[in-house]
């Protein structure tokens, strides 16, 4: 199939335009997409659709303002914008591992190609089960790959992985194709060969092509630094970026996913399946309403998930359209306009949505957490014993201290627990890594969401081979809720190691917006103060007279390692612990076992009594009672 330039755009070109030679030169490159057997359309048909949509997005008044040069550059950028998706293994090797591995365009790229791959691969090796399922369709960890080559066996999983790398960076490849050529087997294919296209024009084409995968403002630095011919005053670069961007967004529908129809039952990647279902739900032909400056989109989703995906993509496109309009007005006033201001769809029609509701729910349905989860889940799980609340808080503090020590070997972790029976307060403090805004908002205050399962944590503390650099103790992300086993009002003060100021806030069982203030805190770490229940107060007052049982250790008998140090105080008096303290350096001795687990990345286990009803895992006592949440998973 040939690339067809729409009539209105074609009318702006002369017979001698370099675009005609460019079209001939790229035809063979679009024959097959080696790394994307399960992907939506990016070939001639996609290019033709984006060209047609671009023509529809440019009003006649604005088109008359555009010179041939601008139209040539726009068409060139559209042809190049997805061309990187057709790179073959030898070309990818040339780009990432050999000739261009150190290539980095100043003011456009932060890292070289090899650095970009290394960063991607390290993250991929740390993918969670959920991420692996999303990409591959199963939770098999990413295999060990050579760091300076591409394997010759070329398995389907490898193609999916390398394909994901290309997908994330294909917009960057577009600039390189314009600037240095298309990376081939043993040479670079000059797609502008035998054309009159000048070097500066190639760079401008490459920049506009790359911009569709960038924030528009991130292109300003490049344009400010480089002196290009033609000048941006002669060619409305930002306008051409916007046209390509919006046209690419708007190419949706069954046509774009038709190639996948025969593969739909055999797809490995759930991500591809979802994209297939989304495109199958949208009609190919978009109705441009010039009078009302809108585009009508008709959708027919078959299930709740696809309905949500359609809603999300339409909302995203509208947001992008609004931003683009604001950006264009800032740059050009109203000299260069788009033919549309908004999207309209049948999903805006109440009667149509009602007909969908006859088949499936159109309102978003997801697993949520009721505020009574504390009463119905946390308290029964721990038998409403405040000693377990102490354990959860110690686990979080130990992990935070170990993370701090991993970042700074000079820092010796220390945790202090102070109980004040007169003020009725329980206070635990640590000099660990502390919490920043992201950790507070997305992990600490979200039930079941553990920061130590996040990509950020895994990148810092998981090795390339998938092993944890520290011995974790916490796992289930319920530290904040476990505080309610001790009391009903919790005040948190914390400062992250990289932040100059910290945060402080108080929360209770009542669901409400928290008043989080910035606060000067001298050292990194976290302090949690809990206003205790009467039951908890009585427990701590009498705890020193209690005898530890196989069922529940006393509140000061959970942790057995000497590092980080845990100190216990009641009414200012330090409590001497009557338990074994084990030097952390010697955990490989004295009947310790290395244990493999899909729950913890790294386990050190030892039984601490003859009947095996209590064990130590990474320094924390674990009981085998059925209501003990940790023990259930051992």
């Amino acid at each position: 199939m040939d690339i067809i330039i729409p009539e209105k755009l074609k009318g702006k070109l002369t017979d001698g335009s370099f675009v005609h030679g460019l079209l001939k030169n790229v035809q063979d490159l679009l024959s097959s997409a080696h790394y994307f057997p399960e992907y939506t359309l990016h070939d001639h048909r996609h290019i033709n659709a984006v060209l047609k949509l671009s023509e529809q997005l440019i009003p006649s008044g604005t088109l008359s303002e555009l010179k041939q040069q601008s139209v040539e550059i726009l068409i060139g950028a559209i042809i190049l914008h997805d061309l990187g998706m057709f790179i073959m293994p030898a070309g990818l090797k040339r780009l990432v591992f050999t000739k261009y591995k150190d290539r980095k365009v100043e003011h456009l790229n932060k890292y070289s190609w090899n650095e970009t791959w290394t960063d991607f691969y390290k993250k991929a090796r740390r993918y969670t089960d959920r991420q692996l399922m999303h990409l591959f369709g199963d939770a098999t960890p990413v295999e060990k790959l050579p760091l300076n080559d591409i394997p010759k066996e070329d398995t389907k999983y490898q193609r999916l992985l390398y394909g994901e790398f290309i997908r994330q960076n294909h917009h960057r490849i577009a600039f390189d194709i314009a600037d240095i050529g298309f990376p081939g087997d043993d040479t670079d294919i000059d797609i502008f060969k035998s054309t009159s296209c000048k070097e500066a024009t190639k760079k401008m084409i490459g920049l506009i092509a790359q911009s569709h995968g960038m924030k528009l403002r991130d292109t300003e630095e490049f344009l400010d630094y480089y002196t290009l011919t033609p000048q941006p005053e002669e060619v409305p670069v930002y306008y051409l970026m916007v046209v390509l961007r919006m046209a690419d967004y708007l190419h949706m529908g069954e046509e774009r996913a038709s190639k996948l129809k025969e593969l739909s039952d055999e797809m490995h990647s759930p991500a591809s399946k979802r994209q297939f279902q989304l495109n199958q739900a949208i009609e190919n032909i978009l109705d441009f309403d010039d009078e009302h400056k809108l585009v009508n989109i008709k959708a027919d989703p078959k299930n709740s998930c696809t309905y949500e995906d359609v809603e999300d993509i339409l909302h995203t496109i509208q947001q992008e359209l609004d931003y683009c309009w604001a950006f264009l007005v800032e740059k050009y006033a109203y000299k260069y306009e788009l033919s549309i201001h908004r999207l309209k769809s049948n999903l805006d029609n109440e009667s149509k949505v009602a007909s969908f509701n006859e088949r499936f729910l159109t309102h978003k349905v997801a697993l949520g957490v009721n505020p009574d989860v504390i009463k119905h889940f946390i308290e029964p799980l721990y038998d409403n014993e405040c000693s377990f609340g102490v354990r959860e808080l110690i686990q979080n503090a130990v992990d935070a201290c170990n993370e701090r020590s991993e970042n700074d070997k000079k820092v010796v972790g220390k945790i202090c627990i102070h109980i004040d029976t007169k003020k009725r307060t329980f206070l635990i403090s640590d000099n660990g890594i502390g919490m920043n805004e992201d950790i507070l908002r997305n992990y600490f205050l979200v039930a079941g969401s553990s920061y130590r399962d996040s990509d950020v944590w895994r990148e810092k503390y998981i090795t390339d081979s998938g092993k944890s650099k520290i011995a974790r103790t916490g796992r289930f992300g319920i530290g904040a809720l476990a505080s309610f086993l001790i009391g009903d009002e919790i005040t948190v003060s914390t400062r992250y190691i990289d932040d100059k100021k910290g945060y402080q806030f108080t929360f209770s069982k009542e669901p409400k917006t928290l008043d989080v203030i910035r606060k000067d805190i001298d050292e990194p770490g976290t302090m949690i103060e809990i206003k205790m229940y009467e039951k908890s107060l009585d427990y701590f007052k009498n705890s020193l007279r209690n005898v530890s049982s196989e069922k529940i250790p006393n509140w000061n008998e959970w942790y057995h390692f000497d590092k980080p140090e845990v100190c216990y105080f009641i009414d200012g008096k330090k409590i001497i612990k009557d338990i074994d303290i084990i030097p952390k350096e010697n955990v490989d001795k004295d009947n310790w076992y290395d244990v493999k687990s899909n729950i913890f990345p790294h386990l050190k286990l030892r039984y601490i009594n003859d009947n095996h009803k209590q064990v130590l895992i990474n320094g924390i006592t674990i009981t085998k009672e059925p209501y003990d949440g940790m023990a259930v998973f051992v």
Side-chain angles (χ1 to χ4, degrees):
M1 184 185 289
D2 294 331
I3 297 173
I4 302 170
I5 301 174
E7 287 301 318
K8 290 181 182 178
L9 296 182
K10 190 176 181 180
K12 301 287 288 191
L13 305 178
T14 62
D15 292 340
S17 172
F18 71 79
V19 168
H20 303 299
L22 174 62
L23 293 178
K24 294 178 182 178
N25 291 338
V26 300
Q27 292 289 345
D28 291 341
L29 298 177
L30 295 167
S31 58
S32 63
H34 177 83
Y35 286 108
F36 300 98
E38 299 181 1
Y39 247 68
T40 48
L41 205 64
H42 290 92
D43 60 8
H44 306 76
R45 289 164 289 182
H46 176 56
I47 294 173
N48 285 335
V50 174
L51 284 167
K52 183 62 178 176
L53 286 164
S54 295
E55 182 186 64
Q56 291 175 290
L57 284 168
I58 304 173
S60 57
T62 300
L63 184 61
S64 66
E65 290 286 335
L66 295 178
K67 298 176 181 178
Q68 171 175 324
Q69 200 170 40
S70 297
V71 175
E72 286 178 325
I73 290 171
L74 174 62
I75 294 171
I78 292 171
I79 293 170
L80 263 66
H81 83 285
D82 280 347
L83 199 56
M85 303 285 274
F86 293 86
I87 196 169
M88 300 295 282
L92 183 62
K93 176 181 176 179
R94 187 176 177 81
L95 192 67
V96 175
F97 298 120
T98 57
K99 184 174 182 179
Y100 297 112
K101 66 176 184 177
D102 298 321
R103 176 176 166 81
K104 178 175 68 173
V105 179
E106 202 69 27
H107 306 290
L108 272 184
N109 311 138
K110 188 175 181 181
Y111 302 110
S112 70
W113 271 117
N114 190 254
E115 290 169 335
T116 303
W117 162 257
T118 301
D119 180 65
F120 168 84
Y121 178 60
K122 283 183 177 180
K123 289 177 180 176
R125 292 275 284 171
R126 298 176 175 89
Y127 278 169
T128 63
D129 287 355
R130 184 176 181 179
Q131 290 170 309
L132 291 166
M133 285 294 298
H134 183 69
L135 182 60
F136 299 114
D138 68 42
T140 304
V142 171
E143 62 187 289
K144 191 172 182 179
L145 296 170
L147 296 177
N148 59 356
D149 203 349
I150 293 176
K152 293 180 180 179
E153 59 266 28
D154 198 26
T155 66
K156 185 169 288 188
Y157 272 34
Q158 289 170 0
R159 288 200 297 274
L160 287 170
L161 183 67
Y162 286 113
E164 178 64 14
F165 173 74
I166 294 169
R167 186 194 67 79
Q168 291 183 17
N169 294 281
H170 75 281
H171 61 288
R172 175 178 171 181
I173 299 175
F175 182 92
D176 285 358
I177 291 171
D179 196 33
I180 60 175
F182 186 94
D185 290 352
D186 53 11
T187 187
D188 305 312
I189 302 168
D190 182 5
I191 62 170
F192 293 99
K193 184 179 179 180
S194 302
T195 73
S196 59
C197 188
K198 298 177 180 178
E199 291 301 316
T201 304
K202 294 177 186 178
K203 274 192 169 59
M204 193 172 283
I205 290 172
L207 176 66
I208 293 169
Q210 179 167 343
S211 73
H212 86 283
M214 301 171 62
K215 294 179 180 178
L216 287 173
R217 294 221 176 268
D218 289 345
T219 65
E220 291 179 305
E221 184 180 344
F222 182 87
L223 285 169
D224 290 342
Y225 181 82
Y226 283 96
T227 302
L228 297 176
T229 304
Q231 294 294 309
E233 292 80 15
E234 300 170 24
V235 175
V237 182
Y238 296 117
Y239 179 71
L240 303 182
M241 290 179 183
V242 165
V243 171
L244 166 57
R245 191 183 203 85
M246 294 312 306
D248 193 41
Y249 264 121
L250 287 170
H251 185 208
M252 301 176 290
E254 189 275 337
E255 179 191 71
R256 191 160 192 200
S258 61
K259 181 182 177 183
L260 301 177
K261 202 165 189 176
E262 61 193 56
L263 301 172
S264 59
D265 294 331
E266 302 177 7
M267 289 184 192
H268 286 71
S269 170
S272 292
K273 288 182 181 179
R274 198 149 182 172
Q275 280 296 309
F276 170 79
Q277 291 170 350
L278 167 64
N279 279 281
Q280 289 288 316
I282 297 175
E283 279 197 356
N284 288 321
I285 300 174
L286 304 183
D287 176 21
F288 278 77
D289 184 341
D290 295 334
E291 181 181 354
H292 299 96
K293 288 191 174 294
L294 59 83
V295 59
N296 287 294
I297 297 175
K298 187 177 179 181
D300 186 22
K302 305 301 183 186
N303 53 55
S304 298
C305 289
T306 306
Y307 184 95
E308 181 187 342
D309 286 344
V310 172
E311 270 199 325
D312 286 346
I313 191 62
L314 296 181
H315 177 70
T316 298
I317 296 173
Q318 183 64 61
Q319 277 190 320
E320 193 66 29
L321 182 59
D322 293 341
Y323 174 78
C324 286
W325 261 105
F327 193 74
L328 290 177
V329 172
E330 173 192 328
K331 296 295 183 182
Y332 308 113
Y334 286 93
K335 184 176 181 180
Y336 300 101
E337 298 186 343
L338 298 173
S339 63
I340 61 170
H341 280 274
R342 67 186 181 95
L343 276 64
K344 188 177 180 181
S345 81
N346 56 326
L347 271 59
D348 301 325
N349 186 297
E350 290 185 8
S351 61
K352 183 59 180 176
V353 173
S355 70
F356 287 137
N357 266 310
E358 294 295 322
R359 292 183 282 152
F360 52 82
L361 284 180
T362 58
H363 294 289
K364 187 173 182 178
V365 179
L367 182 65
V369 179
N370 188 287
D372 287 336
V373 68
I374 299 155
K375 179 183 291 185
H376 299 312
F377 177 67
I378 299 297
E379 291 177 359
L381 178 65
Y382 293 100
D383 204 32
N384 206 17
E385 291 284 351
C386 68
S387 182
F388 285 120
V390 179
R391 183 187 73 182
E392 296 296 325
L393 292 169
I394 289 175
Q395 288 180 165
N396 283 351
V398 167
D399 287 343
C401 287
N402 288 338
E403 289 159 7
R404 175 86 183 275
S405 297
E406 179 64 29
N407 281 275
D408 186 350
K409 304 296 185 184
K410 296 179 182 179
V411 175
V412 178
K414 187 169 185 179
I415 301 163
C416 291
I417 296 177
H418 290 269
I419 294 167
D420 191 320
T421 59
K422 294 179 181 179
K423 293 182 179 179
R424 213 179 77 187
T425 57
F426 173 97
L427 186 148
I428 179 170
S429 62
D430 66 66
N431 64 341
I433 198 170
M435 293 184 281
N436 56 20
E437 180 183 350
D438 175 58
I439 298 172
L440 286 174
R441 291 179 64 243
N442 297 314
Y443 301 102
F444 181 75
L445 292 169
V446 179
S449 179
S450 174
Y451 168 63
R452 293 168 182 95
D453 287 333
S454 68
D455 291 340
V456 176
W457 190 90
R458 293 174 68 84
E459 186 172 351
K460 287 184 178 180
Y461 302 109
I462 299 294
T463 66
D464 292 347
S465 59
K467 294 183 178 180
S468 178
K469 296 178 183 178
I470 62 175
R472 285 177 53 184
T473 59
R475 174 64 176 87
F476 298 110
I478 55 176
L481 291 183
S483 302
F484 289 118
L485 292 168
I486 300 171
D488 58 359
E489 184 178 285
I490 297 98
T491 298
V492 177
S493 303
T494 186
R495 179 187 147 196
Y496 190 62
I497 53 169
D498 294 333
D499 292 346
K500 294 181 180 179
K501 295 185 74 173
Y503 298 92
Q504 187 178 72
F505 58 94
T506 299
F507 64 97
S508 63
K509 293 181 182 179
E510 180 186 355
K512 63 178 182 179
T513 301
L514 302 183
D515 184 15
V516 182
I517 63 171
R518 298 305 303 263
K519 186 178 180 181
D520 290 320
I521 298 176
D522 293 337
E523 295 292 334
T526 299
M527 181 173 70
I528 298 175
E529 184 176 79
I530 305 171
K531 198 73 172 178
M532 292 189 289
Y533 305 124
E534 286 293 337
K535 177 185 175 182
S536 301
L537 180 61
D538 291 340
Y539 168 78
F540 287 114
K541 281 182 177 179
N542 298 319
S543 62
L544 298 184
R545 296 194 295 271
N546 293 342
V547 178
S548 178
S549 68
E550 293 177 350
K551 182 179 178 183
I552 307 174
N554 282 341
W555 65 280
N556 62 327
E557 297 177 349
W558 289 108
Y559 192 65
H560 292 259
F561 282 170
D562 63 339
K563 294 178 183 178
E565 179 186 7
V566 183
C567 301
Y568 308 85
F569 300 85
I570 291 186
D571 293 331
K573 182 179 179 181
K574 188 172 184 179
I575 299 171
I576 305 300
K577 300 180 288 296
D578 187 23
I579 59 172
D580 293 332
I581 297 297
I582 303 159
K584 201 172 178 183
E585 288 78 6
N586 296 329
V587 295
D588 289 326
K589 304 175 182 178
D590 302 327
N591 298 316
W592 282 88
Y593 300 93
D594 281 308
V595 179
K596 292 184 178 180
S597 168
N598 61 349
I599 301 296
F600 288 86
H602 179 70
L603 287 179
K604 289 285 187 179
L605 178 148
R606 192 182 80 170
Y607 294 109
I608 58 176
N609 55 22
D610 293 336
N611 56 16
H612 290 184
K613 285 193 174 181
Q614 288 185 4
V615 296
L616 293 183
I617 294 183
N618 291 344
I620 293 287
T621 304
I622 304 298
T623 67
K624 295 185 74 175
E625 293 300 318
Y627 59 80
D628 181 346
M630 292 291 289
V632 169
F633 293 91
V634 172

